[in-house]
Amino acid sequence: MKRREIRVHMFQLLFCMDFHEPVDQAEQEELYFEQIGKYYHKKELIADGETALFEDEPPTQEEIAYLRERFRRIQGKLGEIDVLLSQIASGWRLNRMGKVDLNLLRLAVFEIRCDEDIPDKVAINEAVELAKIYGGESSGGFINGVLAKLVKADPEEKSE
């Protein structure tokens, strides 16, 4: 599974959870993983006008297990991530941010702060690219500005 696919799945799960009460989130996560194959189509179908989020085969059971584990790691850090975002995005309260922007920022902050395998520049670039797909006209610039400020504030900090 490509890293971009992993990011999109994490973003979609984070985005979905913002619309559900905590008591319903486990069920929503389960539904997402039960229906994950619906997001994939063979390349021939895309050429015939079908749309799909991903052009590869659906994830294997091992890849789904990895996605679940990664999502749980991100969820476990959301409190810290939100505090950090509140500090960095001065002038913006989290509840006033668009859900797309907020969840792309959360994902990127997780990658910047907690994932040693992903360089900061890659995490920022990917968040901006996903913002161009899922966000509004100014999402990419906003996300780039917030994440650049985060990296400048503490360029060496990574935690697990």
Side-chain angles (χ1 to χ4, degrees), residues 69-82:
E69 152 58 25
R70 185 159 182 88
F71 183 64
R72 289 199 178 100
R73 284 184 55 219
I74 294 169
Q75 279 185 310
K77 296 283 187 180
L78 280 182
E80 294 171 43
I81 290 169
D82 285 352

Side-chain angles (χ1 to χ4, degrees), residues 5-21:
E5 288 179 68
I6 294 168
R7 281 185 186 93
V8 170
H9 285 299
M10 294 304 101
F11 163 68
Q12 290 175 339
L13 281 161
L14 287 167
F15 184 82
C16 177
M17 295 307 142
D18 262 358
F19 292 94
H20 296 283
E21 297 296 322

Side-chain angles (χ1 to χ4, degrees), residues 1 14 55 62 76 90 106 113-114 128-129 137 150:
M1 176 178 298
L14 287 167
E55 296 179 6
E62 292 82 21
S90 55
R106 285 172 168 166
R113 285 299 181 98
C114 303
V128 169
E129 290 302 313
E137 193 173 300
L150 169 70

